[in-house]
Every structure is written in structure tokens, then in C-alpha cells.
Amino acid sequence: MDPNHPDRRTAYWKKNTSLVIKLLIVWFVVSFGCGIILVEPLNNIQLGGYKLGFWFAQQGSIYTFVALIFYYAHRMKKIDREAGLHERDENGE
């Protein structure tokens, strides 16, 4: 089927949007949930000499965001291949 077919484009964007929403939920839970809402219980745990709630508020959400960027790129590469939109290498594959 043609990659520009409306049904394929709709399916592609549906997968893309679904992935973005799921990753934003994960980032929200880590940054807001662990860094603000659950800060008191998490502060009872130490990580490298720092309270875990403080660590999530200062560093954890940033590390999670960077990890989510790499995961998004990996998943989009797979979604692009499924939709026939991936970049070709030197061999034309």
C-alpha cells in the first residue's frame, strides 16, 4: 500500500500521538508525582547522600526526560519502518 494513502497516514499519526501521550504521562508522573506529591515519603530514602524526593525534583525528571527522548527516537524508527517512511542507508535498504 502507498505510504501516502490516507489510511496509512492516519494510522501513522495515531501511533505517533499515542506514543507521545504515553511518554508525557511517564514524564509527568516522575517529575510531578515523585518530585512534588510523593516527596515526603521518598525523602526517607537516601540516594548518594541526598534525599530521594529532592533527587527526583532536581535530577530525576531531567534524566527521565533524556531517557524518554532516546526511547522515542528508537520507537519512531520502528514506527517509520512499519509505515514505509524510514530513511534509506547507502545500500538502499
Side-chain angles (χ1 to χ4, degrees):
M1 187 187 293
D2 177 23
N4 290 323
H5 190 274
D7 291 340
R8 292 236 19 209
R9 286 189 303 206
T10 302
Y12 173 82
W13 283 108
K14 191 173 187 176
K15 287 181 183 180
N16 186 357
T17 305
S18 173
L19 177 62
V20 169
I21 290 170
K22 290 173 187 173
L23 295 179
L24 285 173
I25 289 169
V26 170
W27 190 36
F28 176 79
V29 168
V30 170
S31 62
F32 189 76
C34 295
I36 297 173
I37 295 175
L38 299 174
V39 72
E40 292 302 322
L42 290 174
N43 277 339
N44 295 325
I45 303 168
Q46 296 282 320
L47 179 68
Y50 296 99
K51 295 178 179 179
L52 189 58
F54 172 79
W55 184 85
F56 268 111
Q58 298 302 312
Q59 302 294 325
S61 62
I62 296 169
Y63 290 145
T64 301
F65 182 67
V66 171
L68 291 176
I69 290 170
F70 284 104
Y71 181 75
Y72 174 79
H74 171 74
R75 288 290 298 143
M76 281 308 298
K77 195 178 291 187
K78 184 177 179 184
I79 291 170
D80 286 348
R81 282 193 196 282
E82 291 172 359
L85 300 172
H86 63 284
E87 295 180 7
R88 310 254 186 245
D89 60 11
E90 294 95 31
N91 300 330
E93 297 178 9

